[in-house]
C-alpha cells in the first residue's frame, strides 16, 4: 500500500515508477487477487518482475556521469549473473521430481499444494517399485497437507483412497472430517472433481467405503450453503451415477438427473438423462433428450 501511494504521488515527476509498479501488480492480479499466492511456485514472479527491471535502462538514461553509469552496469550485470546461478540451481532441483518435491515440501511446510505433490510422487513410486515404505511416506505427506494453511478437502480424501490402495482401512476420523469439510468449509470446484474420483473408486471396487458414508459425503456437499448451482447439479449427477451403478436404481437415478437439469441445464446432463430411459428400453424418450 505504501509503495502504491508513493508511486501515485510521484507519477508526474517519475511516471515510469508507477508504470513499473503497475506492471508488477497487474501481472500478479492475473493469478492472485484477494486470495494468497503460493510462492512455492516462484515462476509466477518472472513476468511481473520485468516491469521493475525496465526501470534500470530508464534510470541509466538520466545519469550523466560515466563512472556512475559503469557502477550501475556492473551491479546490473552482477544481478543478472546471480539470477543465472539461481536458475541453474533450480533447474538441477527440478531435474529430479522426487528431490524437487521433497525440497519444496521442506521449504514450504505450510503449503498444502507442496505437501500434496510430494505425496503424489511417493504414490507413483509405490506403484512403480511395489515398496510399502513409499505408501507410508505418502500418507505422512498427506497428513502434513491436511495441517497446512487452507488445505481444502483433497488431501483428506486422498488419505482415504491411499489407505484402500495400501490394503488398510481409513481412519474413521478422516472420513468424518471429509463430511464436515464438504458441509461447512468454502466449496471449490475441486471438491466436485474429488467427489467424482471417490465415486469412480467406489464403483470400480478399489475403495470400500460403506454406501452410507459415500452417500453422506455427497449429501454433505449439497448441504454446503456456498455450493454453486453448477456444482450442485454435478453432485446430483454423481449421486445418480452412484445409485444406478451400486444399487441398479434406475428410477431414482433418473429422478436425480432431472433435479440436476432443473438446477443447471447442461448438455452433459441431458446426455446422461438420455441413458437412463435407454437402459430401460424407452428409446423414444432417450432420443427426445438428445433432440433427435
Amino acid at each position: 500500500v505504501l509503495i502504491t501511494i508513493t508511486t501515485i504521488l510521484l507519477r508526474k515527476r517519475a511516471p515510469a515508477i508507477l508504470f513499473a509498479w503497475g506492471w508488477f501488480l497487474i501481472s500478479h492480479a492475473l493469478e492472485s487477487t484477494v486470495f494468497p499466492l503460493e510462492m512455492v511456485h516462484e515462476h509466477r514472479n518472472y513476468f511481473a518482475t520485468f516491469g521493475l527491471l525496465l526501470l534500470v535502462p530508464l534510470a541509466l538514461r538520466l545519469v550523466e556521469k560515466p563512472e556512475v553509469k559503469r557502477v550501475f552496469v556492473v551491479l546490473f550485470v552482477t544481478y543478472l549473473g546471480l539470477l543465472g546461478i539461481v536458475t541453474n540451481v533450480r533447474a538441477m532441483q527440478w531435474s529430479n521430481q522426487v528431490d524437487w518435491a521433497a525440497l519444496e515440501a521442506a521449504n514450504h511446510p505450510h503449503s498444502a499444494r507442496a505437501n500434496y505433490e510430494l505425496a503424489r510422487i511417493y504414490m507413483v513410486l509405490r506403484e512403480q517399485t511395489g515398496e510399502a515404505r513409499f505408501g507410508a511416506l505418502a500418507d505422512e505427506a498427506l497428513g502434513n497437507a491436511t495441517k497446512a494453511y487452507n488445505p481444502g478437502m483433497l488431501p483428506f480424501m486422498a488419505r482415504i483412497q491411499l489407505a484402500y490402495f495400501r490394503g488398510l482401512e481409513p481412519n474413521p476420523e478422516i472420513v468424518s472430517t471429509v463430511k464436515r469439510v464438504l458441509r461447512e468449509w468454502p466449496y471449490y470446484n475441486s471438491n466436485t472433481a474429488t467427489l467424482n474420483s471417490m465415486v469412480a473408486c467406489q464403483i470400480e471396487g478399489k475403495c470400500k467405503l460403506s454406501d452410507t458414508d459415500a452417500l453422506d459425503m455427497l449429501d454433505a456437499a449439497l448441504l454446503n450453503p456456498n455450493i454453486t448451482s453448477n456444482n450442485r447439479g454435478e453432485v446430483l449427477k454423481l449421486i445418480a451415477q452412484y445409485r444406478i451403478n451400486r444399487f441398479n436404481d434406475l428410477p431414482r437415478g433418473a429422478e436425480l438427473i432431472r433435479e440436476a437439469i432443473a438446477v443447471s441445464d447442461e448438455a452433459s446432463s441431458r446426455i446422461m438423462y438420455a441413458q437412463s430411459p435407454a437402459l430401460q428400453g424407452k428409446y423414444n424418450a432417450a432420443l427426445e433428450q438428445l433432440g433427435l
Side-chain angles (χ1 to χ4, degrees):
V1 172
L2 290 175
I3 294 174
T4 301
I5 293 174
T6 302
T7 57
I8 292 175
L9 293 175
L10 295 175
R11 67 186 183 280
K12 292 184 178 180
R13 293 174 54 190
I17 297 178
L18 179 60
F19 171 81
W21 183 241
W23 180 302
F24 183 82
L25 293 181
I26 292 171
S27 297
H28 278 321
L30 296 174
E31 300 188 58
S32 178
T33 51
V34 296
F35 304 103
L37 181 66
E38 283 191 297
M39 301 317 291
V40 59
H41 304 292
E42 74 270 18
H43 50 268
R44 291 179 174 177
N45 287 302
Y46 293 169
F47 185 72
T49 307
F50 290 163
L52 303 179
L53 293 178
L54 285 173
L55 289 176
V56 177
L58 293 176
L60 284 176
R61 292 179 58 189
L62 302 177
V63 178
E64 297 180 356
K65 295 183 178 180
E67 58 272 19
V68 176
K69 282 191 174 182
R70 283 194 290 269
V71 171
F72 264 92
V73 170
V74 170
L75 290 175
F76 188 60
V77 170
T78 302
Y79 177 67
L80 292 179
L82 176 62
L83 291 181
I85 294 172
V86 173
T87 300
N88 181 63
V89 171
R90 291 297 283 162
M92 292 176 62
Q93 293 171 349
W94 280 64
S95 66
N96 185 309
Q97 280 193 320
V98 180
D99 290 344
W100 168 77
L103 181 67
E104 294 304 308
N107 289 340
H108 305 275
H110 300 299
S111 168
R113 193 188 302 268
N115 283 287
Y116 182 83
E117 180 63 20
L118 177 60
R120 190 187 69 79
I121 294 295
Y122 281 140
M123 285 189 276
V124 171
L125 287 174
R126 178 185 172 276
E127 288 185 14
Q128 292 177 344
T129 65
E131 295 186 30
R133 65 189 180 96
F134 288 121
L137 289 170
D139 188 64
E140 180 183 352
L142 288 173
N144 293 334
T146 62
K147 301 171 187 174
Y149 172 77
N150 195 22
M153 70 159 291
L154 182 57
F156 294 99
M157 186 69 80
R159 291 193 78 183
I160 295 174
Q161 294 183 334
L162 177 61
Y164 286 122
F165 294 161
R166 297 171 64 198
L168 304 173
E169 284 293 322
N171 188 329
E173 292 184 6
I174 299 177
V175 176
S176 298
T177 299
V178 168
K179 297 176 186 178
R180 179 172 58 82
V181 169
L182 284 166
R183 184 174 58 253
E184 299 176 3
W185 288 19
Y187 196 94
Y188 302 109
N189 291 336
S190 58
N191 288 14
T192 302
T194 305
L195 286 172
N196 183 52
S197 175
M198 182 273 292
V199 169
C201 190
Q202 285 283 110
I203 292 174
E204 292 170 4
K206 296 178 181 178
C207 295
K208 303 183 185 302
L209 282 168
S210 69
D211 291 326
T212 300
D213 282 332
L215 289 172
D216 281 349
M217 290 179 183
L218 294 165
D219 289 337
L222 293 179
L223 291 173
N224 191 304
N226 300 310
I227 190 171
T228 62
S229 297
N230 183 62
N231 278 311
R232 178 178 292 276
E234 292 301 314
V235 173
L236 285 168
K237 287 190 290 184
L238 287 175
I239 299 174
Q241 183 181 350
Y242 195 93
R243 288 195 170 277
I244 291 172
N245 285 275
R246 294 284 288 188
F247 307 133
N248 198 29
D249 190 352
L250 285 171
R252 177 55 179 157
E255 182 181 340
L256 286 164
I257 301 171
R258 283 197 299 271
E259 290 182 28
I261 292 173
V263 171
S264 179
D265 196 347
E266 304 285 342
S268 59
S269 303
R270 294 284 180 176
I271 293 172
M272 186 176 179
Y273 186 53
Q275 293 172 335
S276 177
L279 290 172
Q280 301 175 66
K282 302 175 182 178
Y283 300 113
N284 289 333
L287 291 173
E288 183 182 343
Q289 291 302 317
L290 297 176
L292 300 176

